[in-house]
Amino acid sequence: MTAELISGTEVAREIRAELKQEIAELKEKHNLVPGLVTILVGEDPASQVYVGQKEKTSHNLGIYSERYDLPADTSQEDLLALVDKLNKDPKIHGILVQLPLPKHINETKVLFAIDPKKDVDGFHPVSLGKLMIGEPDYLPCTPHGIQQLLIRSGVKIEGAEVVIVGRSNIVGKPIANILLQKQEGANATVTICHTRTKDLAFHTRRADILIVAAGKAKAITADMVKEGVVVIDVGVNQIGTTADGKRILSGDVDFENVKEKASAITPVPGGVGPMTITMLMLNTVRAAKLAAGLI
Ligand SMILES: NC(=O)c1ccc[n+]([C@@H]2O[C@H](COP(=O)([O-])OP(=O)(O)OC[C@H]3O[C@@H](n4cnc5c(N)ncnc54)[C@H](OP(=O)(O)O)[C@@H]3O)[C@@H](O)[C@H]2O)c1
């Protein structure tokens, strides 16, 4: 079997087109323009690229965006004061603090300071707690993107054995919670694996849907999956550089060999990656609608 490709680029384009239309309607019918602010502290090149992409996507969709580029030596106090000011700004519906923050700043403290109503990243404990009890305001962007990829590719989630490799707070744990909920697009039986799992392959071979977020290039090999599995590869690992200096990326799955057994698989790049920013935009629109009492 050679797997069908699940293209995050395509699905993200589809969702962005829907959002663009919704944003235009919000402006026309309610004079409401969703507003997103991104805060970047320091000059980490990867973070600068991500923030740039978020700004560009906001602009393309008609979302009002503000960007703060703060020096690396910004104090925690100053950053908290800025978050507090933005919490009170009615033009701003979503606040995104780009991680990682410099070491002298306590990330948890800053993320907890964001008003949960503006927590479009979905990392605030209020957002995660609401997700856990099946009453979410905002789903974290990458896990939400994974769920949408599955739904929009016609993968049956209900009743499926879903095995997740990785238990991070930003991917593994929230995607487990999302797919476990008693609702449409979920209702899966979920197993979470990590580095202390006794026999990883025993679990991965049981998977109807295998979601890998380990951060280890090609950690999942063809002998670890069953025929017909659907594979979502979240990993982004740099495994080299081209002669002209471009990064060579690999997922956490040995794509070339696993695709021969899988029924569907996401590529890296072009799989989960494009979904993350798209779901951030979706959360920003949702935040604006919640603030305006439209939901
Ligand atoms: N495309 C996107 O938009 C996007 C977004 C987020 C992340 N990512 C990528 O996804 C990957 C994971 O990110 P993350 O932030 O979730 O990573 P993380 O915080 O480093 O967590 C990795 C998890 O995988 C587990 N793990 C690592 N190696 C393993 C192995 N050999 N067997 C079993 N479990 C293993 C770890 O177990 P322990 O808990 O026991 O250490 C941990 O729970 C990274 O490559 C990251 O770049 C992509």
Side-chain angles (χ1 to χ4, degrees), residues 82-285:
L82 176 61
V83 169
D84 185 49
K85 184 182 95 157
L86 295 165
N87 277 341
K88 294 173 185 146
D89 183 341
K91 286 194 307 303
I92 299 300
H93 303 101
I95 300 174
L96 183 131
V97 178
Q98 185 66 44
L99 302 179
L101 289 168
K103 292 217 161 39
H104 66 278
I105 298 179
N106 181 332
E107 269 182 14
T108 308
K109 207 162 188 171
V110 174
L111 293 181
F112 283 24
I114 295 171
D115 181 343
K117 292 192 192 78
K118 300 192 177 188
D119 177 39
V120 286
D121 240 349
F123 293 156
H124 193 284
V126 169
S127 303
L128 292 169
K130 286 182 147 184
L131 159 61
M132 179 106 173
I133 60 166
E135 300 285 344
D137 280 334
Y138 306 111
L139 296 175
C141 301
T142 300
H144 193 192
I146 294 170
Q147 185 194 32
Q148 282 298 314
L149 274 181
L150 291 168
I151 292 172
R152 290 178 185 243
S153 307
V155 175
K156 187 168 183 285
I157 304 173
E158 176 151 332
E161 290 285 344
V162 172
V163 176
I164 298 162
V165 183
R167 57 176 162 185
S168 72
N169 289 334
I170 62 169
V171 188
K173 284 184 204 158
I175 188 62
N177 270 291
I178 290 172
L179 298 181
L180 186 65
Q181 294 304 321
K182 192 168 183 172
Q183 62 189 40
E184 245 182 87
N187 278 321
T189 302
V190 179
T191 305
I192 309 180
C193 302
H194 45 79
T195 56
R196 310 298 160 92
T197 297
K198 269 196 206 141
D199 183 352
L200 180 64
F202 166 79
H203 295 285
T204 56
R205 275 190 212 114
R206 287 192 300 108
D208 300 318
I209 299 172
L210 179 62
I211 300 171
V212 192
K216 297 274 179 314
K218 303 186 184 184
I220 302 298
T221 47
D223 58 313
M224 296 171 76
V225 303
K226 74 173 179 191
E227 287 283 341
V229 63
V230 173
V231 180
I232 303 288
D233 188 353
V234 189
V236 182
N237 309 287
Q238 182 171 357
I239 53 167
T241 316
T242 61
D244 55 350
K246 289 207 179 95
R247 298 191 310 150
I248 302 173
L249 299 179
S250 162
D252 290 347
V253 175
D254 177 6
F255 180 84
E256 284 308 320
N257 294 307
V258 171
K259 82 172 181 348
E260 298 306 323
K261 280 176 94 177
S263 60
I265 189 167
T266 55
V268 176
V272 175
M275 295 298 291
T276 300
I277 291 181
T278 303
M279 302 327 278
L280 174 70
M281 301 298 134
L282 184 139
N283 277 349
T284 304
V285 173

Side-chain angles (χ1 to χ4, degrees), residues 25-98:
E25 280 171 19
L26 285 174
K27 174 116 190 10
E28 201 181 297
K29 291 189 190 147
H30 303 281
N31 198 25
L32 178 63
V33 179
L36 173 68
V37 63
T38 48
I39 305 173
L40 174 62
V41 187
E43 278 150 25
D44 176 55
S47 295
Q48 283 179 329
V49 171
Y50 295 140
V51 168
Q53 287 171 344
K54 287 165 189 172
E55 237 192 333
K56 192 171 156 215
T57 311
S58 301
H59 181 75
N60 287 343
L61 296 184
I63 288 175
Y64 168 74
S65 86
E66 278 183 21
R67 171 174 173 171
Y68 288 82
D69 283 300
L70 306 178
D73 62 357
T74 300
S75 70
Q76 179 170 301
E77 202 186 2
D78 285 350
L79 180 56
L80 288 171
L82 176 61
V83 169
D84 185 49
K85 184 182 95 157
L86 295 165
N87 277 341
K88 294 173 185 146
D89 183 341
K91 286 194 307 303
I92 299 300
H93 303 101
I95 300 174
L96 183 131
V97 178
Q98 185 66 44

